[in-house]
Amino acid sequence: MPNIVLVGAQWGDEGKGKIIDILASRADYVIRYQGGNNAGHTVVIGEDEFVLHLVPSGILHKKKICVIGNGVVIDPKALLEEIAILKTKGVDTGSRLLISDKAHIIFPYHKRLDELRELKNKNRLGTTKRGIGPCYADKVARTGIRAVDLINADVLKEKLKSVLDEKNAILTKIYGDPGYAFDALFGEYLDYGAKMKPYIADVARILHEAIRKKKRLLFEGAQGTLLDVDHGTYPFVTSSSATAGGACIGAGVGPTKIDKVVGVVKAYTTRVGEGPFPTEFPEDLMARIRKKGREFGATTGRPRRCGWFDACLVNHSVMVNGIDEIVVTKLDVLDELKSIKVCASYKYEGRTYKNFPSDIEVLENCEPVYKELPGWGEDTTRITSYGKLPKKAKDYLKRLEKLLNTKIVLISVGSERKQTFKVE
Ligand code: GDP
Ligand code: IMO
Ligand code: MG
């Protein structure tokens, strides 16, 4: 297997966790390169369901090395809890988990500011309130605290003191919030540093060595392309580079070392949080698909908004990620529909948009132009090979392939490992 970047090609929750788990069997290293515990990646193995937030989804394969790159923002409390939960389920992270010394750290003031901005601002984004945006903002403002700082008491003391003075001023004066006491926070984070120390390493160098030894690297994207801070539906995005290019920056690996980009799409579309969603279902269909697809957030439990497959949007993803191959998940969720719509372009004020518009006003008010296809009306969840799919399901996939001008290579018809087959 070459070095692969796997990205979500919609608004997140495409089933990346499941597909990473499958591809990980042929990889040596699985690397998260952006996002934080806003991500919720579900892997189902028999009776067991694992929801991973920070630890790469490759961890469930015993010998794989899992890496949290410099581009990830880490809430140490959440990470240590996740490691402990994995342990109770018999998954030992031991020496298989590595954390970049350059990864930025989420503090309680990041979470509080995230919450307060969501609460007080008129234009809510519907964030996960995990402190992601404020932490990345500090990184770019060059006031962030990194993993390496947590294991140097002197550096941590100095940085936290100056950062906290500013954060407390904002919290108390703008939001009327009590703020945080230095001593307690310093002690808490020194303790996290001590606990995380065995995992902290110069990850870019380790990956460089791995590439030299021809090891196989699998990069696990979090969120989705339309949540990318540059290429998504700004400002209704997350604060990191969820697109394939983010893998280079967020892991310290040069673009010449990446061989392939795989995009994961649902057979329909979902989105959590606020923001435009041209193909969003009407209420009755929304309720039906949400129930059948169990479309509730893996991190926050919020109901996901659902809609028809949007090829205009996924074409944008194919372009900005350089997607070579596509994986389609949750085909089974459409099993009972009599007819299925696919959006190929938008109409707004008499103009047809074949390319995904950047203007949020167009996205919010446009009319999707649909092609309608017949449903297949059969249960696909027990199907184990492409040849056995109903003809109309194959026709649907072929239509997507044509609209996206990209090969569909893998199909998923259920959350379990065995409910996956190659397109032959
Ligand atoms: P991620 O964030 O992209 O990893 O996706 P999530 O884990 O947040 O959401 C995907 C959900 O769909 C999870 O509950 C998976 O177990 C489930 N899932 C994945 N693939 C399939 C599939 O083909 N069919 C069905 N019905 N569920 C699936
Ligand atoms: P995975 O990796 C779906 C959304 C939030 C919100 C916006 C900004 O499981 O696909 P943030 O907390 O990141 O500042 O919120 O991004 N969001 C996700 N939606 N799946 C995710 O991750 C998401 N991570 C963030 O709902 O709209
Ligand atoms: Mg998810």
Side-chain angles (χ1 to χ4, degrees), residues 11-14 16 38-41 114 125-130 132-133 221-224 227 236-239 271-274 298-299 302:
W11 273 296
D13 304 325
E14 296 89 349
K16 298 176 293 293
N38 48 349
H41 297 177
D114 197 358
L125 301 175
T127 75
T128 59
K129 300 181 185 162
R130 298 295 192 266
I132 306 296
Q223 288 76 57
L227 289 172
F236 299 99
V237 292
T238 191
S239 301
R271 143 160 241 177
V272 200
E274 307 301 319
T299 296
R302 289 178 292 174

Side-chain angles (χ1 to χ4, degrees), residues 356-382:
F356 194 73
S358 305
D359 190 339
I360 212 82
E361 196 185 305
V362 177
L363 276 171
E364 265 162 359
N365 299 298
C366 66
E367 275 293 310
V369 181
Y370 288 116
K371 297 187 188 305
E372 199 154 349
L373 286 90
W376 43 94
E378 277 178 55
D379 179 9
T380 57
T381 56
R382 287 189 184 81

Side-chain angles (χ1 to χ4, degrees), residues 12-18 40-42 44 49 266 292-293 298 304 329-333 412-415 419:
D13 304 325
E14 296 89 349
K16 298 176 293 293
K18 170 180 166 164
H41 297 177
T42 315
V44 178
E49 184 179 272
K266 266 179 201 173
K292 171 108 172 132
R304 295 176 182 148
T329 62
K330 303 194 104 163
L331 186 68
D332 55 297
V333 178
S412 170
V413 290
S415 49
Q419 291 173 301

Side-chain angles (χ1 to χ4, degrees), residues 88-365:
T88 63
K89 292 189 169 188
V91 183
D92 199 5
T93 47
S95 57
R96 295 196 295 126
L97 181 66
L98 297 171
I99 299 170
S100 168
D101 49 5
K102 297 186 187 71
H104 278 249
I105 301 296
I106 297 178
F107 281 76
Y109 48 78
H110 292 130
K111 282 192 271 188
R112 192 66 189 135
L113 283 169
D114 197 358
E115 277 169 7
L116 288 165
R117 284 175 189 155
E118 283 289 283
L119 201 70
K120 308 257 162 123
N121 286 0
K122 262 206 321 263
N123 303 321
R124 298 180 53 233
L125 301 175
T127 75
T128 59
K129 300 181 185 162
R130 298 295 192 266
I132 306 296
C135 184
Y136 277 114
D138 279 2
K139 172 177 175 172
V140 180
R142 294 156 295 179
T143 55
I145 295 174
R146 303 177 302 166
V148 67
D149 304 327
L150 292 189
I151 50 177
N152 183 332
D154 292 338
V155 173
L156 180 63
K157 186 178 254 178
E158 197 188 313
K159 285 197 173 185
L160 186 60
K161 261 206 172 117
S162 82
V163 170
L164 200 58
D165 281 348
E166 189 196 24
K167 300 296 177 201
N168 278 342
I170 296 170
L171 284 166
T172 53
K173 291 184 184 146
I174 297 183
Y175 294 104
D177 214 57
Y180 295 89
F182 172 80
D183 287 341
L185 211 52
F186 178 60
E188 185 185 342
Y189 273 71
L190 258 190
D191 187 41
Y192 292 146
K195 289 186 174 129
M196 282 164 61
K197 195 172 176 183
Y199 302 105
I200 296 175
D202 180 355
V203 155
R205 184 141 306 279
I206 292 168
L207 293 178
H208 176 78
E209 267 307 297
I211 292 167
R212 206 180 57 77
K213 290 185 181 150
K214 305 251 178 295
K215 298 287 180 196
R216 296 157 300 180
L217 274 50
L218 176 60
F219 295 87
E220 175 175 354
Q223 288 76 57
T225 302
L226 277 301
L227 289 172
D228 181 280
V229 68
D230 287 279
H231 301 289
T233 46
Y234 192 90
F236 299 99
V237 292
T238 191
S239 301
S240 66
S241 299
T243 39
C248 295
I249 297 158
V253 168
T256 51
K257 309 299 180 205
I258 309 285
D259 302 297
K260 195 194 274 188
V261 179
V262 175
V264 186
V265 294
K266 266 179 201 173
Y268 50 101
T269 313
T270 62
R271 143 160 241 177
V272 200
E274 307 301 319
F277 187 169
T279 63
E280 192 163 10
F281 288 141
E283 267 314 311
D284 49 342
L285 196 52
M286 174 91 80
R288 218 173 128 191
I289 296 295
R290 183 180 284 152
K291 188 160 176 238
K292 171 108 172 132
R294 296 168 63 205
E295 294 295 358
F296 294 89
T299 296
T300 58
R302 289 178 292 174
R304 295 176 182 148
R305 298 156 67 193
C306 307
W308 297 116
F309 189 90
D310 187 339
C312 187
L313 174 154
V314 179
N315 261 322
H316 170 77
S317 291
V318 168
M319 178 180 77
V320 296
N321 289 295
I323 290 175
D324 299 300
E325 294 176 349
I326 286 181
V327 177
V328 177
T329 62
K330 303 194 104 163
L331 186 68
D332 55 297
V333 178
L334 306 181
D335 280 353
E336 286 153 25
L337 297 182
K338 285 211 162 54
S339 76
I340 301 171
K341 289 183 189 173
V342 178
C343 166
S345 58
Y346 309 130
K347 272 213 157 104
Y348 178 64
E349 291 189 335
R351 197 180 140 188
T352 300
Y353 290 80
K354 286 199 169 145
N355 298 327
F356 194 73
S358 305
D359 190 339
I360 212 82
E361 196 185 305
V362 177
L363 276 171
E364 265 162 359
N365 299 298

Side-chain angles (χ1 to χ4, degrees), residues 403-414:
L403 285 167
L404 303 174
N405 196 22
T406 310
K407 240 171 109 90
I408 296 175
V409 292
L410 205 65
I411 309 291
S412 170
V413 290

